[in-house]
């Protein structure tokens, strides 16, 4: 590749602002931009070729932020040489991905390095917010794992389970949205610690995966339960010690009724509430007092300094076959709109 070669940069673009549930028509594929594959003199960013891109619920937050420049700016006008002007009123989608460094203006990254972190949904990106990038040191596992079990979902699962939930052997653990990128991992970590684990999911296929692939003690399809409180009582007759919260709404209300004294609720997400005009109310919060329940929200960014410790936990489990991780792979940038919309309607099985 000649230095500074000009190439077409295919991108997944969306319009100014997305209101509510994302639709495939909110996004489209463009190859109108041409970039020069060389960093400008004095740049403090990195030029990367994106290899694997990850669809996460967190992306909806990034997309809503787009009207104000986005939570992360993957590139700025002075950091990349556009030969053709940008399409107005659109921005590339941003999210987690794995990329290869083509050029670097920073000593901590060099050409040829593999990294994971926030990048653009495009073939090439210049990333200036490099604090969100992690260098990949272990390549004996699939690179896609760094968008899942060894990336943000892995940090989220380890932080929420080990640091927030403070589990003990023999405790009871309930995981909602348990077949997702984070939930499937939390359940397996809990089983490895010697906990009793039940998960909920939205289809028979996902319930079967939880019980037969991920090793949960039991699982149920929440769509088939008319009374969630009764269902949880059935699976946890003596109550729940730890609830890993991914859903919110009616599920959270029913879980609180079934928590044991001194139980812990680690709040990772509330996907049932993301696209509602008016969020559902939770009626049973008074029980947090009576049952001395600890309920704590957290985000993976808070635990980036723990990443090496989490790798020391996860890598041996992966290499020894003690943890399995399921991915739902769509090939090509053209599949992004369908894959992302499918994520919010439960079409994916495992990490998208």
């Amino acid at each position: 590749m000649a230095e500074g070669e000009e190439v077409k940069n295919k991108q997944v673009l969306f319009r100014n602002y997305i209101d509510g549930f994302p639709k495939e028509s909110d996004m489209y594929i463009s190859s109108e931009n041409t970039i020069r594959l060389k960093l400008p003199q004095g740049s403090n960013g990195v030029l990367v070729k994106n290899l694997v891109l990850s669809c996460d619920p967190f992306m909806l937050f990034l997309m809503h932020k787009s009207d104000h420049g986005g939570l992360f700016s993957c590139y700025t006008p002075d950091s990349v040489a556009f030969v053709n002007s940008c399409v107005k009123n659109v921005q590339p989608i941003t999210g987690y991905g794995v990329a290869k460094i083509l050029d670097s203006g920073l000593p901590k990254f060099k050409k040829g390095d593999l990294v994971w972190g926030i990048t653009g949904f495009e073939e090439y990106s210049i990333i200036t917010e490099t604090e969100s990038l992690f260098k990949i040191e272990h390549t004996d596992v699939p690179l896609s794992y760094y968008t899942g079990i060894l990336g943000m979902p892995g940090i989220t699962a380890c932080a929420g389970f080990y640091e927030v939930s403070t589990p003990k052997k023999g405790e009871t653990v309930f995981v909602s949205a348990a077949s997702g990128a984070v939930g499937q991992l939390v359940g397996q970590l809990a089983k490895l610690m010697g906990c009793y684990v039940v998960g909920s999911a939205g289809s028979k296929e996902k319930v079967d995966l939880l019980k037969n692939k991920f090793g949960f003690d039991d699982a149920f399809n929440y769509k088939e339960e008319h009374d969630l409180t009764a269902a949880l009582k059935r699976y946890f007759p003596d109550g729940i010690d730890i609830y890993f919260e991914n859903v919110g709404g009616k599920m959270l209300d029913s879980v609180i009724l079934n928590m044991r004294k001194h139980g812990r609720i680690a709040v990772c997400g509330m996907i049932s509430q993301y696209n509602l005009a008016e969020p559902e109310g939770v009626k049973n919060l008074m029980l947090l007092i009576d049952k001395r329940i600890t309920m704590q929200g957290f985000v993976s960014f808070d635990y980036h300094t723990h990443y090496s410790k989490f790798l020391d936990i996860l890598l041996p489990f992966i290499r020894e076959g003690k943890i399995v991780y399921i991915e739902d792979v769509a090939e090509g940038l053209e599949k992004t709109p369908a894959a992302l919309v499918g994520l919010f309607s439960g079409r994916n099985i495992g990490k998208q």
Side-chain angles (χ1 to χ4, degrees):
M1 179 183 297
E3 185 171 274
E5 178 183 348
E6 294 175 4
V7 298
K8 289 286 188 181
N9 189 24
K10 188 182 294 183
Q11 300 172 307
V12 185
L13 302 172
F14 60 92
R15 292 168 178 83
N16 268 348
Y17 190 79
I18 288 183
D19 184 18
F21 193 82
K23 304 180 290 294
E24 288 187 41
S25 59
D26 291 321
M27 297 163 265
Y28 65 96
I29 312 301
S30 172
S31 59
E32 296 178 31
N33 287 330
T34 303
I35 67 170
R36 186 167 289 113
L37 295 181
K38 179 65 180 175
L39 282 172
Q41 188 71 26
S43 171
N44 62 350
V46 291
L47 168 66
V48 303
K49 180 175 176 60
N50 294 306
L51 305 177
V52 184
L53 298 168
S54 165
C55 292
D56 300 290
F58 177 67
M59 290 172 65
L60 190 60
F61 175 66
L62 296 181
M63 292 163 83
H64 276 294
K65 283 285 186 179
S66 69
D67 206 33
H68 305 286
L71 184 61
F72 293 89
S73 297
C74 283
Y75 54 73
T76 55
D78 62 347
S79 66
V80 60
F82 282 98
V83 178
N84 296 337
S85 60
C86 290
V87 180
K88 292 184 178 180
N89 299 323
V90 292
Q91 287 176 305
I93 292 175
T94 55
Y96 285 96
V98 172
K100 185 176 183 179
I101 303 286
L102 299 182
D103 195 8
S104 174
L106 299 169
K108 65 178 179 178
F109 297 117
K110 65 180 187 297
K111 183 177 179 179
D113 283 347
L114 295 169
V115 294
W116 73 268
I118 297 285
T119 187
F121 267 54
E122 52 192 350
E123 292 184 314
Y124 302 95
S125 297
I126 286 187
I127 303 172
T128 56
E129 300 288 341
T130 56
E131 295 83 1
S132 67
L133 292 182
F134 292 84
K135 188 175 177 180
I136 294 175
E137 305 284 359
H138 305 278
T139 57
D140 61 327
V141 294
L143 285 180
S144 57
Y145 276 20
Y146 288 94
T147 66
I149 186 172
L150 297 178
M152 182 274 288
I155 294 177
T156 303
C158 288
F161 184 63
Y162 293 119
E163 306 293 330
V164 178
S165 301
T166 60
K168 303 178 186 67
K169 182 179 179 180
E171 288 192 310
T172 58
V173 178
F174 175 53
V175 184
S176 58
S179 67
V182 175
Q184 61 173 280
L185 181 53
V186 171
Q188 292 180 82
L189 293 176
K191 284 301 300 176
L192 287 166
M193 178 165 275
C195 297
Y196 170 78
V197 185
V198 175
S200 65
S203 71
K204 180 182 184 301
E205 181 183 11
K206 292 178 180 180
V207 168
D208 288 343
L209 276 175
L210 294 176
K211 294 193 289 187
N212 302 320
K213 188 76 173 180
F214 300 135
F216 283 53
D217 292 290
D218 220 325
F220 64 92
N221 183 347
Y222 69 90
K223 294 179 181 178
E224 296 179 348
E225 299 291 345
H226 300 294
D227 186 336
L228 289 173
T229 301
L232 290 167
K233 183 67 176 177
R234 187 166 73 244
Y235 290 100
F236 296 96
D238 298 318
I240 301 167
D241 291 303
I242 295 171
Y243 173 42
F244 201 92
E245 165 69 303
N246 287 304
V247 172
K250 295 175 183 177
M251 182 66 82
L252 174 59
D253 230 9
S254 294
V255 169
I256 290 173
L257 287 171
N258 283 277
M259 291 294 291
R260 299 183 69 181
K261 281 188 176 180
H262 304 289
R264 287 86 71 204
I265 301 176
V267 184
C268 168
M270 293 191 175
I271 197 167
S272 74
Q273 306 300 295
Y274 293 165
N275 299 305
L276 299 182
E278 291 291 333
E280 294 175 331
V282 179
K283 303 175 183 178
N284 297 317
L285 289 176
M286 183 67 76
L287 289 174
L288 298 183
I289 302 169
D290 182 55
K291 295 186 177 186
R292 290 77 153 176
I293 295 169
T294 300
M295 184 172 175
Q296 180 180 336
F298 70 100
V299 294
S300 63
F301 302 126
D302 298 338
Y303 294 90
H304 278 182
T305 56
H306 293 60
Y307 183 55
S308 61
K309 179 173 74 172
F310 296 155
L311 281 183
D312 289 342
I313 294 171
L314 295 172
L315 281 168
F317 284 157
I318 295 170
R319 290 164 177 157
E320 295 165 17
K322 293 181 178 179
I323 281 181
V324 295
Y325 201 71
I326 289 183
E327 299 174 311
D328 195 327
V329 179
E331 294 283 351
L333 283 172
E334 292 80 4
K335 301 291 182 63
T336 300
L340 183 56
V341 171
L343 179 75
F344 290 96
S345 57
R347 290 205 301 260
N348 61 301
I349 301 292
K351 175 63 187 172
Q352 181 67 69

